[in-house]
Amino acid sequence: MDKAEFDKFADEYTYMLKSSIGITGEDPDYFAEYKIADIALSSASTPRVQESVKVLDFGSGNGASIPYVKKYFPTAELNCLDVSERSLKIAESRFPALANYVPFDGQNIPFPDDYFDISFAACVFHHIDHSEHAALIKELYRITRPGGNLFIFEHNPYNPLTVRAVNTCPFDVNAKLLKPGYTKRLLRDAGFEGTRIRYRVFFPHQLRKLRVMEKQLTWLPLGGQYFAMGNK
């Protein structure tokens, strides 16, 4: 999906997302928050995380992650990067003082080397042509500081309910889901170390009491989403 397509869907994105995930019984905030909570948990042992950290939300869209970054990293310098200037304007109108809103040309991340402690992309790369993935991950490696972390969250193509949700969402009309092994290799080939996959979102709202089990299931490739993590 190019800039024009992202701009086209920017105003309707939340409505379309709610419709596509209705089968889970959850709203978009649930999915936005669990990702940042996982990042906080996975980064807890990283130096400087308890201090003022620099965070990059790569492909930030309308800013769904912003309040949760501030919840789990209250002193963070948060930078939201997106090719859709319309999406950035919507995000800034929702959270005017909580982040820096930075336009992206789709190729070169406009930050210096070794700048961010934490970088993450929340279900972004399936919208990007696979031929561009390697170069973008290398850019994310460049701007991540030594000792910093990158997190790539994606839909799990092996989960039939996830595939159904993607196939029924107009925003995902051109999406091509990433297999977990492929995503892990992208991080490893870019230079990230300790690369690993964790599976998430196993239980719908009706079975939410079982979610206490999810910490023991992150190895099981049946979750609705997963994340790949790497350290620089």
Side-chain angles (χ1 to χ4, degrees), residues 55-208:
V55 178
L56 176 67
D57 184 350
F58 179 86
S60 56
N62 65 4
S65 297
I66 293 173
Y68 303 110
V69 173
K70 289 302 182 180
K71 175 180 177 179
Y72 291 93
F73 301 95
T75 62
E77 175 198 302
L78 174 59
N79 293 272
C80 293
L81 187 73
D82 207 289
V83 296
S84 170
E85 294 185 28
R86 177 58 187 161
S87 295
L88 289 173
K89 288 180 180 178
I90 292 172
E92 187 169 13
S93 70
R94 296 174 69 196
F95 310 107
L98 296 186
N100 302 314
Y101 300 93
V102 183
F104 180 42
D105 66 7
Q107 295 182 324
N108 303 299
I109 297 177
F111 289 94
D113 296 356
D114 305 333
Y115 189 80
F116 289 100
D117 300 283
I118 296 170
S119 301
F120 72 93
C123 296
V124 172
F125 273 80
H126 60 266
H127 291 297
I128 301 172
D129 191 283
H130 277 45
S131 65
E132 301 175 24
H133 288 172
L136 289 174
I137 296 294
K138 288 179 180 178
E139 268 291 276
L140 286 165
Y141 180 85
R142 178 184 66 77
I143 54 88
T144 300
R145 72 168 182 83
N149 301 322
L150 172 66
F151 298 83
I152 304 294
F153 290 85
E154 279 297 328
H155 299 310
N156 184 4
Y158 299 125
N159 183 293
L161 294 180
T162 293
V163 173
R164 175 183 171 186
V166 170
N167 289 342
T168 57
C169 181
F171 186 73
D172 289 327
V173 64
N174 293 319
K176 184 177 179 183
L177 299 187
L178 283 65
K179 294 181 179 179
Y182 167 82
T183 309
K184 182 179 179 180
R185 285 193 299 275
L186 282 174
L187 271 64
R188 184 188 63 205
D189 291 348
F192 286 97
E193 299 179 350
T195 54
R196 51 203 181 274
I197 298 290
R198 297 290 182 266
Y199 296 92
R200 297 291 273 106
V201 191
F202 289 87
F203 303 106
H205 182 79
Q206 296 87 335
L207 299 176
R208 61 192 179 280

